[in-house]
Amino acid sequence: FTFLCLRKTFFTMANICAWIVIFRVIISYFQRFLFPFIPDVLQVTFAGLLEMTNGCHLLTQIRSIPLRFILCSGILSFGGVCVTLQTASAASKLGLGWYLPGKILQTLLSLLFSTILQIILFSDPISPITPAILTFITLGIVYFAIIRKNSSNSLKFAI
């Protein structure tokens, strides 16, 4: 029995680590061939959407501390595609159901609160696009509220 548990644990750990290695290789490829041609903010956002650890590591490329604060909040809330695939592979028998919509809603709420907090904490707002960012985030949250109202499933289990 103990050997079987250890074997399953080892394969689960190897599966999760394999996803991290795969996404690190993908991000390295993009850093070499794609990232030199796109702005730093898009580099960090794209890397963070793929894998949060590497995205957070690249945050130092952004000079604006308020924008870095907001991006860090969003990256950590979403976790990246890598974490989503790790979750899907580790919980394959359970299914994901509302997992991805829940993660997106969690990210939108985190971005909303961190944007409001950065306006309060930092004397210089990130830019004139701050109201546009807040509007986009609020519309996303309203969209999820409508989905929850019209759905027979409850979103509360995904958050």
Side-chain angles (χ1 to χ4, degrees), residues 24-35:
R24 181 62 196 138
V25 170
I26 292 170
I27 290 172
S28 293
Y29 177 81
F30 286 139
Q31 282 178 319
R32 182 169 175 96
F33 297 109
L34 177 66
F35 285 0

Side-chain angles (χ1 to χ4, degrees), residues 23-144:
F23 276 90
R24 181 62 196 138
V25 170
I26 292 170
I27 290 172
S28 293
Y29 177 81
F30 286 139
Q31 282 178 319
R32 182 169 175 96
F33 297 109
L34 177 66
F35 285 0
F37 305 107
I38 61 176
D40 290 342
V41 174
L42 292 177
Q43 291 177 26
V44 172
T45 303
F46 187 69
L49 287 175
L50 288 177
E51 205 273 321
M52 72 175 171
T53 307
N54 288 292
C56 288
H57 175 72
L58 294 175
L59 279 169
T60 57
Q61 294 179 359
I62 298 175
R63 294 180 193 260
S64 170
I65 293 176
L67 182 58
R68 193 183 312 170
F69 175 74
I70 292 171
L71 278 176
C72 184
S73 171
I75 289 170
L76 292 175
S77 295
F78 182 65
V81 175
C82 182
V83 169
T84 301
L85 292 174
Q86 289 172 349
T87 303
S89 65
S92 60
K93 293 179 183 175
L94 298 175
L96 292 181
W98 281 95
Y99 175 79
L100 194 57
K103 287 301 278 184
I104 293 171
L105 178 60
Q106 175 183 336
T107 303
L108 289 172
L109 288 170
S110 179
L111 288 169
L112 175 67
F113 293 135
S114 62
T115 302
I116 292 169
L117 193 58
Q118 80 77 30
I119 291 170
I120 294 169
L121 291 178
F122 301 103
S123 58
D124 58 338
I126 57 170
S127 70
I129 65 165
T130 302
I133 293 171
L134 286 171
T135 303
F136 171 75
I137 295 167
T138 305
L139 287 174
I141 293 169
V142 168
Y143 174 75
F144 275 103

